[in-house]
Amino acid sequence: MRNEPNHYEVLKVHRSATQAEIKQAYRRLVKLFHPDRNPDRAAKEAIVRINAAYEVLGDRSSRQSYDRRRDATTARSTRYERSQTASTSTANPRTARQTSRSADELVAFWLQRIYRPIDLELDRILDALDPQIDELSADPFDDELMENFAMYLSQCRVFLDRAQNTFRSTPNPSSLAGVAADIYHCLNQVHDGLEELEYFTLNYDDRHLHVGRELFRIARGLQEDAYSRIQHIL
């Protein structure tokens, strides 16, 4: 179960989502990553993950079984973390010094292997929005321009998925909890912003475009906050 993907995250729904909401999310994602619209390999891989997730969550009984397995895994993980915390609290001074060195190494590792790749993916998403909107503004009803904008959003989904997977791959050191919180909320803002921008490509309602742009602006602020926290820590 440890390596089993989180199907709720794949379908971009909360665990409490209804079956109807899961079905709606599945249809939207299939449309977004359909090979006819996105022939690149990343989109094909996304479709595989989306179909696998819906195969489990789309059926009520298999979804219940999946939820039970996840709950059991979470409980085991919690017990392990508590035992590790107890072991650390009773360590002798020499072990404490070793733990301190290990903590510094974990910080360096997390910044290099987790934070920096995520920061790069965020730049790829956020830096391109204004140029993309400027290009589309020439004629939002031009099919080719809109298709180019939709392709940009599809690529952003790939970048966001990579960033989210990286973020979930390794727990953050406690000293970087604030940085991790900023990144977490930043990724959520990007996700919601993409939702709004994708709605715009379907109904041409400028309100979705404005909301998406504002959510990206908030995401940029959170990204900068995370960077500032790191400078104060280092």
Side-chain angles (χ1 to χ4, degrees):
M1 182 63 187
R2 181 179 180 180
N3 294 323
E4 185 174 353
N6 187 322
H7 295 314
Y8 290 102
E9 292 179 352
V10 171
L11 294 184
K12 315 297 183 188
V13 296
H14 192 271
R15 178 170 171 171
S16 62
T18 64
Q19 294 300 125
E21 290 172 336
I22 288 175
K23 186 175 184 179
Q24 182 181 24
Y26 171 71
R27 287 178 172 174
R28 176 178 55 79
L29 291 172
V30 167
K31 181 178 180 181
L32 179 64
F33 292 101
H34 194 280
D36 289 344
R37 296 185 63 187
N38 297 290
D40 60 279
R41 180 177 179 181
K44 293 179 181 178
E45 293 174 349
I47 282 292
V48 171
R49 294 194 299 271
I50 291 165
N51 286 334
Y54 186 70
E55 184 176 353
V56 174
L57 301 185
D59 179 79
R60 191 179 301 275
S61 60
S62 64
R63 178 185 179 183
Q64 290 173 345
S65 177
Y66 172 76
D67 287 345
R68 286 194 295 270
R69 294 198 308 273
R70 288 194 64 83
D71 289 342
T73 300
T74 300
R76 288 195 298 270
S77 177
T78 300
R79 288 195 297 270
Y80 174 78
E81 291 174 358
R82 288 174 178 172
S83 68
Q84 291 297 100
T85 300
S87 298
T88 300
S89 64
T90 58
N92 59 37
R94 180 178 179 182
T95 302
R97 289 192 296 271
Q98 293 173 341
T99 300
S100 177
R101 289 196 295 270
S102 296
D104 291 340
E105 292 171 356
L106 286 174
V107 167
F109 174 85
W110 196 87
L111 291 176
Q112 179 66 31
R113 302 296 295 274
I114 307 301
Y115 167 76
R116 290 180 182 174
I118 292 174
D119 195 53
L120 177 60
E121 300 290 9
L122 287 171
D123 282 342
R124 288 172 174 166
I125 296 171
L126 300 174
D127 289 349
L129 178 62
D130 286 343
Q132 288 289 335
I133 291 179
D134 289 343
E135 181 179 349
L136 181 63
S137 64
D139 184 0
F141 295 98
D142 181 277
D143 290 341
E144 183 176 353
L145 291 178
M146 182 58 78
E147 185 64 26
N148 289 339
F149 187 68
M151 181 63 70
Y152 154 69
L153 297 179
S154 178
Q155 291 173 339
C156 286
R157 282 291 184 185
V158 175
F159 300 150
L160 178 60
D161 283 345
R162 286 204 300 246
Q164 290 175 325
N165 289 335
T166 299
F167 184 75
R168 292 191 295 265
S169 66
T170 305
N172 60 277
S174 59
S175 62
L176 295 177
V179 176
D182 286 335
I183 294 297
Y184 172 80
H185 292 301
C186 178
L187 294 173
N188 284 342
Q189 293 296 322
V190 170
H191 171 270
D192 292 345
L194 287 175
E195 291 276 342
E196 292 293 332
L197 296 172
E198 286 161 1
Y199 288 142
F200 172 72
T201 66
L202 298 176
N203 57 25
Y204 299 90
D205 188 335
D206 285 343
R207 289 176 297 179
H208 294 302
L209 188 63
H210 295 321
V211 172
R213 204 169 193 173
E214 175 63 13
L215 290 171
F216 270 35
R217 185 192 67 78
I218 295 172
R220 175 67 83 188
L222 289 165
Q223 182 191 23
E224 293 172 350
D225 288 345
Y227 178 80
S228 296
R229 288 180 189 272
I230 291 173
Q231 300 312 303
H232 284 92
I233 293 173
L234 299 180

